[in-house]
Amino acid sequence: MRRLTLDDIALCLRAGESAAVLFDPAQVTVVPGDAPCTTQSADQLLDVDAGLTMAELTETARAAGYRTPLSLLPDGLRVFELGWRFPFVAEALFHSVSAVTCDGEPLHSPRAPRSAVGPDLLGAVLGPHPLAVATRVRLRAMPQSHCQRTTHRGSAAELAARLCGLVHKGAARWALLDEGVLHVVGVGTAQAPALDALRPPPMSGRAVSGSDALALEQAARTGRVLAFPYLGRAGVLRTDPGPAVGLALPAAAAATLVAATAQEGA
Amino acid sequence: MDTANIPQSDGALDRRMVATDLWPRRLLERREGDTVVLPAKVFWPRHIEDVQRVIQAARAHGWPVVPYGAGSGVCAGVSPTDRAVVLDVKRLDELRIDPLRRECWAGAGLMGERLERQLNARGFTLGHFPSSIYCSTVGGWVAARSAGQLSSRYGKIEDLLLGVRGVNGRGDIIEAHLDDDRTGPAALRFLVGSEGALCVFTAARFRIHPVAEARWMRGFRFDVFEDGVRALRTVLQRGHAPSVLRLYDPLDTLVAGGLAAADDAPDVIEDGPISAAGLERSGKEGDDELSVTDRIAEHLDRLALFDKPRATRRIVGGFMGRPLIANTLIDRVLGHAKLIVGIEGARDDLEVRADKLKAALIAAGGQDAGPAPGAKWLLHRHRVSYKMARAFAAGGWVDTMEVATSHDGVVPLYRAVREALRDVAMVMCHFSHAYVDGCSLYFTFAGGGHAGNGPRSAKARYDAAWRRALLTVKAHGATVSHHHGVGRSKRNALEHAPGARAVLDALKRAHDPDGILNPGVLGLGTR
Ligand SMILES: Cc1cc2nc3c(=O)[nH]c(=O)nc-3n(C[C@H](O)[C@H](O)[C@H](O)COP(=O)(O)OP(=O)(O)OC[C@H]3O[C@@H](n4cnc5c(N)ncnc54)[C@H](O)[C@@H]3O)c2cc1C
C-alpha cells in the first residue's frame, strides 16, 4: 500500500496511461449536508450533495419542479461517480463543483457559466483518473414546467442525422437515441415527464462528437446515444463497466485517497 | 536538440515583433517612453518536431520559452524576459477538413480569418468569431479560452474543441481528446486555457458546422436597462437559441448613437452561405469592442486637435482625468439600452422562429427597432484597432474587463463595478456572451491622468481602476475572466483553495517540471 499523491495521478493524465490502481466507489462516503438539494431558479441550476444516488436526486429534483436526464442512469449510482463512469454526462451537466483532492484539500471550480482562468478544475472529477472526489455539485437542470418531449422513429442513419441537426441548432436540452427511437427534450409548454429509466441500465459512457453523424450512427448501433445539443456534447451509454477508475479509497476517509498499485500489491 | 536548422532570428526587429502582446498597461508605459524588454531569440517552427527540439534545447539550457500566436492577447500573456526564447507558431498553419465527420484539424498558427475563409469555401464554419479574428490564432484561442460573437449558439472555443496536439515542457509530444476513453475529457480540460504554461499547442481538432442557410437580425430598445438584462435570460432559457445576443448598457448605447423604435420595418432574411458566415461583409473599418473609444477619438479628430498633439493630450487627459464629473454628467443624460439579436438556420424555419423571438422580446419590455441596427452591427463587427487605440494617442487610456456570473448576479455586479470606479474611470458595459445559466459582462474603462508616477498619474489611475474592479468582481463571487484569460495582469486576483492550488501545481510539475514554459502566467511556476 502506498499513499497516492496528486503528482502520480497528474502523470497518469499527462501520459494517458491506463490506470495502475483500482478505485472502489463503495468505499467513499460523502457525508450529506443539511440541504441535500437547493435550487438556483434564476439560472436553472440545482445545488446537490454529491453523495445522492441518481434515484434520490431524480426524486428530490422532481419535488423541486426540475428534470434532469440522470434518471436514465443506474439508480444506485452516486453523483460523485458520475464524472468517473459517465464523464461526458458530468461534463455537460456539472456547472461547478466543490471537491476534496486525494491529498485531502478542498477545491472549488469557478461558479460561473464559463470562465477563462486557467486549466478547468472540473477536470479533477472527470474521467478514470480523478484527482478529487466531488462533495457538492451545481447541476444544470430544467424546470418541469418548460419541458417538452418529442419522439421520432427511423433508421439509425436517419436518426443520427437528425440528432446531428439538433446539435447544430443547439436548442434542445437533451436527446436520447435508443432502439430506433429518438426522444428529444426541449423547451415547450407541455408538462411532459422526463425520460424513463433505461433497462438494463448503462454501466459506463464515452464521448462522441455530436457533429459527427457517422460516429453517432455507429454508436446507436452498439448502444444508446445521449446528447446535450445545447452544449454540443454527445456520448454513448454502454452496458460494460468501462475503463477501471484509477484510485482506491479507504473506508472512512473520503478526503484521503489511498492507492494500492498492481505492482505494489503483488 | 540541434536547433540550427529551425528558422530563427536574433535580430532586434524580429525580437521586438514578439516581445509583447496588447496589454493596455504596456501601451501606457510605452507612451511614456519605457523600454520594452526583448527576448533572446525568436523561432518559427515548421512542424511539431521543431517545437520539440526547441523545448528540449530550452530544457537543457534553462531558457524560458514563450509561445506566441499573434500577440493580440490583452493580459500580458506574452512578456518574455531577455533570456527567453519565443516560439512564434504562425508557420504551423495546416488545415485538414473531414467533411464526413464534420471536424477539422487546424494548425495552431492559423489566423482566425484564414481558417474561417477556408472552411467557408468548403461549406463549413467554425462558428468562432472573436472581434480579433483578423489578428489572433487558433493556438491563442485555445490557450486563452477565447469567445466569439456567436457564442450563444456555437459556444466558446472549449465547446468547439474535440482535441489538441502539442509539446509539453518535458519535450514530449502530447495529444488529448474529448473522446479518449483512457483519460476521459479531463486531460483536454486541463490543457485548454493553460496560456502556454503547460504545453505549446501545435494543432487543434474542432467540430465544424455547415454554414447556415439564412439569417435574421433585428434591434430592440429597452427603456429600462434591467428589463434588457432579464430579456437575455428569458430568450435563452425559453430555448430560442439565438446566434447573436448583445445588450449594450445606456452609456454604450448613447456613444453608439442611440436607437429609435421602428416596429413597422419589415423583417429581412438573408440567404446564402457567405452572407450567413458574415466574414465577407465585415471589414476592418467599423465597430468593435474598442470602438467606443475610437468613436470618441473620431469626434476629437474632427476638431483637428491631432494637429496639436500636446494640446490634445492635455485636453483629453484632463477630461478623462476627471471621471467623477464625467460620470455624473453621463448619469444625468443616460437613456435607453440597445439589444441586437440574430438567429440563423434553415430558411423555412427562420420566419417562425423570428416571430416567436420578437414576441418574447416585446413581452420582456423591448421595443422593436427594426433590422437596421442588426445589419449595421453585422457590417462593422470585426473592426479591430490594429494600431494603438487613438484614445491612447490622445492622452487617455482604455482597457476592457470581461467577467461572468449568474443571471441574478448580473445587475448587482454591473452597478457595483460602475460605482467602484466612479472617480477613476468612465465605465460602460455590454453583454455579448449569455447562456442559460449566466452571463458575461464586458466592461470598458476609459480614464486619463498625467504622465509619470504619483497618485493622479495615468498609470496610478489605471492600476487603481483594475484593483477596485477585480476586488468588486471577487466580492460578488464572479469569475475574473470569461474569455481574455489571466496572463500576468490578473494573476494576483486568482484565489484558489489549497486543493485547487495543489492540482494546478501538480499539473505544472507533470507537464513542465523545470518551469520553463511561460513562467508567471496564471501564477504558475512562480512559487
Ligand atoms: C481588438 C481586440 C479584440 C479582441 N476581441 C476578442 C474577442 O472577441 N474574443 C476573445 O476571446 N478575445 C478577444 N481579444 C483577445 C485576444 O484576441 C484573444 O485572447 C486571443 O485568443 C489571443 O490569440 P493570439 O493568437 O493573439 O494569442 P497571443 O496573444 O499570441 O497569446 C495569448 C496567450 O496564449 C499563449 N499562446 C499563444 N499561442 C499558443 C500556443 N500555440 N500554444 C500555447 N500557448 C499559446 C501565449 O503565450 C499567451 O499566454 C481581443 C483582442 C483585441 C486586441
Side-chain angles (χ1 to χ4, degrees):
Chain A
M1 291 280 269
R2 176 169 79 84
R3 223 183 114 98
L4 196 78
T5 68
L6 278 173
D7 282 359
D8 295 330
I9 310 164
L11 276 168
C12 269
L13 271 176
R14 174 181 61 78
E17 288 148 7
S18 57
V21 291
L22 294 178
F23 179 82
D24 180 3
Q27 304 274 331
V28 186
T29 319
V30 174
V31 182
D34 293 340
C37 174
T38 56
T39 58
Q40 310 290 325
S41 55
D43 299 299
Q44 302 192 345
L45 297 170
L46 299 176
D47 262 338
V48 301
D49 268 346
L52 290 182
T53 62
M54 294 301 116
E56 288 164 344
L57 173 63
T58 303
E59 205 35 57
T60 323
R62 194 187 299 265
Y66 284 84
R67 287 280 180 269
T68 76
L70 298 175
S71 55
L72 297 170
L73 303 183
D75 286 349
L77 186 84
R78 284 177 287 166
V79 173
F80 68 81
E81 290 173 77
L82 208 59
W84 310 338
R85 291 266 157 242
F86 301 92
F88 78 91
V89 177
E91 216 201 355
L93 293 187
F94 286 10
H95 167 276
S96 48
V97 290
S98 293
V100 276
T101 66
C102 58
D103 289 340
E105 302 279 15
L107 170 157
H108 310 284
S109 70
R111 287 205 157 187
R114 295 285 193 285
S115 61
V117 290
D120 186 351
L121 293 169
L122 211 55
V125 300
L126 297 177
H129 307 289
L131 299 177
V133 178
T135 52
R136 187 105 182 148
V137 172
R138 200 163 256 213
L139 270 180
R140 300 189 169 100
M142 200 173 164
Q144 157 74 3
S145 55
H146 290 187
C147 271
Q148 188 174 46
R149 175 177 160 187
T150 51
T151 309
H152 313 270
R153 278 165 214 286
S155 69
E158 283 161 1
L159 294 180
R162 189 183 272 265
L163 188 51
C164 235
L166 283 173
V167 173
H168 178 52
K169 203 163 162 183
R173 290 297 179 81
W174 65 85
L176 176 74
L177 175 48
D178 183 33
E179 294 182 349
V181 186
L182 177 65
H183 308 269
V184 182
V185 177
V187 184
T189 45
Q191 302 219 355
L195 302 169
D196 300 330
L198 291 174
R199 294 287 171 252
M203 297 294 289
S204 63
R206 63 177 301 258
V208 284
S209 164
S211 310
D212 183 346
L214 285 180
L216 291 174
E217 186 188 332
Q218 214 171 15
R221 289 185 196 283
T222 55
R224 300 126 161 177
V225 177
L226 180 60
F228 302 92
Y230 87 105
L231 292 156
R233 292 282 183 260
V236 54
L237 300 174
R238 301 194 300 202
T239 44
D240 61 274
V245 176
L247 290 173
L249 293 180
T256 310
L257 309 183
V258 176
T261 64
Q263 301 95 310
E264 285 167 346
Chain B
M1 273 203 338
D2 181 13
T3 56
N5 291 331
I6 303 170
Q8 57 191 281
S9 169
D10 54 11
L13 187 60
D14 290 326
R15 289 183 295 141
R16 175 64 197 88
M17 295 300 287
V18 296
T20 58
D21 59 11
L22 293 176
W23 183 33
R25 176 66 153 85
R26 189 116 318 140
L27 301 182
L28 203 55
E29 291 163 11
R30 274 170 47 203
R31 186 178 71 192
E32 298 188 6
D34 293 4
T35 50
V36 176
V37 176
L38 302 188
K41 196 175 264 191
V42 52
F43 286 97
W44 294 285
R46 299 151 299 181
H47 36 67
I48 193 165
E49 288 76 17
D50 280 356
V51 175
Q52 191 177 29
R53 272 155 60 206
V54 172
I55 291 182
Q56 283 167 348
R59 237 191 135 181
H61 295 106
W63 305 329
V65 177
V66 178
Y68 182 91
S72 72
V74 286
C75 321
V78 173
S79 187
T81 60
D82 58 2
R83 289 188 53 246
V85 296
V86 171
L87 269 171
D88 179 347
V89 299
K90 272 196 280 308
R91 294 192 186 184
L92 306 177
D93 61 354
E94 200 190 340
L95 175 65
R96 276 190 292 123
I97 301 172
D98 184 340
L100 276 181
R101 298 221 169 256
R102 287 196 187 163
E103 60 177 67
C104 72
W105 268 106
L110 249 185
M111 298 291 268
E113 177 207 4
R114 284 189 51 213
L115 168 62
E116 185 59 24
R117 285 192 196 282
Q118 289 180 60
L119 287 171
N120 287 178
R122 302 278 299 272
F124 291 102
T125 176
L126 181 62
H128 188 68
F129 297 92
S131 300
S132 54
I133 194 165
Y134 291 95
C135 63
S136 57
T137 61
V138 164
W141 293 346
V142 175
R145 290 180 176 272
S146 168
Q149 294 156 341
L150 308 191
S151 64
S152 296
R153 170 157 183 219
Y154 296 99
K156 285 183 69 196
I157 201 72
E158 59 264 37
D159 303 313
L160 297 164
L161 197 65
L162 296 172
V164 290
R165 186 181 298 138
V167 182
N168 69 11
R170 292 173 182 265
D172 298 336
I173 292 181
I174 53 168
E175 278 202 27
H177 295 272
L178 194 67
D179 45 6
D180 186 340
D181 258 356
R182 296 168 311 165
T183 60
L188 185 59
R189 288 236 167 194
F190 283 145
L191 292 176
V192 181
S194 53
E195 300 192 18
L198 298 181
C199 70
V200 179
F201 296 113
T202 56
R205 182 181 151 223
F206 295 115
R207 62 194 172 94
I208 53 177
H209 305 261
V211 169
E213 271 174 33
R215 165 163 42 208
W216 169 92
M217 293 204 66
R218 231 166 153 91
F220 287 82
R221 173 190 158 123
F222 284 86
D223 286 340
V224 180
F225 164 66
E226 288 78 2
D227 286 349
V229 175
R230 261 192 302 277
L232 298 177
R233 178 167 90 193
T234 308
V235 160
L236 289 157
Q237 293 187 348
R238 291 295 165 114
H240 290 287
S243 49
V244 178
L245 190 62
R246 301 173 73 86
L247 178 72
Y248 298 81
D249 82 347
L251 177 54
D252 216 335
T253 304
L254 182 81
V255 177
L259 191 69
D263 52 1
D264 51 350
D267 280 328
V268 177
I269 294 187
E270 292 175 278
D271 288 309
I274 294 301
S275 72
L279 208 55
E280 292 301 324
R281 304 176 339 120
S282 68
K284 292 174 189 168
E285 298 299 318
D287 194 337
D288 67 46
E289 295 187 31
L290 298 183
S291 63
V292 171
T293 51
D294 275 359
R295 271 188 233 115
I296 294 171
E298 268 161 25
H299 289 307
L300 291 167
D301 268 356
R302 274 183 224 126
L303 299 175
L305 285 173
F306 282 92
D307 296 342
K308 312 170 190 92
R310 287 183 56 192
T312 309
R313 282 191 189 184
R314 263 207 308 278
I315 294 166
V316 176
F319 179 71
M320 291 169 102
R322 286 177 179 71
L324 195 57
I325 300 173
N327 280 324
T328 309
L329 280 172
I330 286 162
D331 283 348
R332 295 263 155 83
V333 293
L334 278 189
H336 55 272
K338 172 172 74 172
L339 183 136
I340 307 277
V341 65
I343 45 177
E344 15 175 277
R347 200 178 204 296
D348 315 343
D349 190 21
L350 217 58
E351 275 172 44
V352 180
R353 286 174 63 199
D355 282 348
K356 285 188 182 160
L357 182 51
K358 231 191 297 185
L361 285 168
I362 290 166
Q367 296 163 53
D368 188 354
K376 185 175 164 203
W377 174 79
L378 204 56
L379 191 62
H380 298 304
R381 72 194 173 110
H382 289 302
R383 179 185 179 190
V384 169
S385 304
Y386 287 91
K387 299 167 284 190
M388 191 195 290
R390 277 185 278 182
F392 278 89
W397 55 264
V398 192
D399 205 345
T400 56
M401 176 178 81
E402 27 62 63
V403 299
T405 191
S406 60
H407 283 298
D408 266 355
V410 170
V411 172
L413 178 58
Y414 166 75
R415 291 211 184 102
V417 170
R418 291 201 67 210
E419 196 49 44
L421 269 59
R422 207 170 175 74
D423 59 340
V424 284
M426 290 192 284
V427 184
M428 59 204 103
C429 185
H430 68 255
F431 307 78
S432 45
H433 308 281
Y435 309 93
V436 168
D437 48 0
C439 183
S440 151
L441 294 83
Y442 191 100
F443 290 100
T444 302
F445 317 142
H450 59 68
N453 298 313
R456 297 178 62 155
S457 67
K459 283 192 273 198
R461 289 186 173 197
Y462 174 94
D463 293 342
W466 266 103
R467 205 170 40 246
R468 290 192 209 171
L470 288 172
L471 275 175
T472 310
V473 171
K474 277 165 36 180
H476 281 248
T479 185
V480 297
S481 175
H482 171 266
H483 62 267
H484 283 168
V486 172
R488 290 169 183 78
S489 68
K490 288 177 243 173
R491 65 184 172 192
N492 293 334
L494 287 185
E495 259 168 27
H496 289 304
R501 188 75 247 175
V503 166
L504 295 173
D505 286 347
L507 287 171
K508 181 71 176 169
R509 282 191 299 270
H511 282 290
D512 183 24
D514 303 330
I516 56 170
L517 287 185
N518 216 358
V521 283
L522 293 163
L524 286 177
T526 48
R527 301 185 325 156

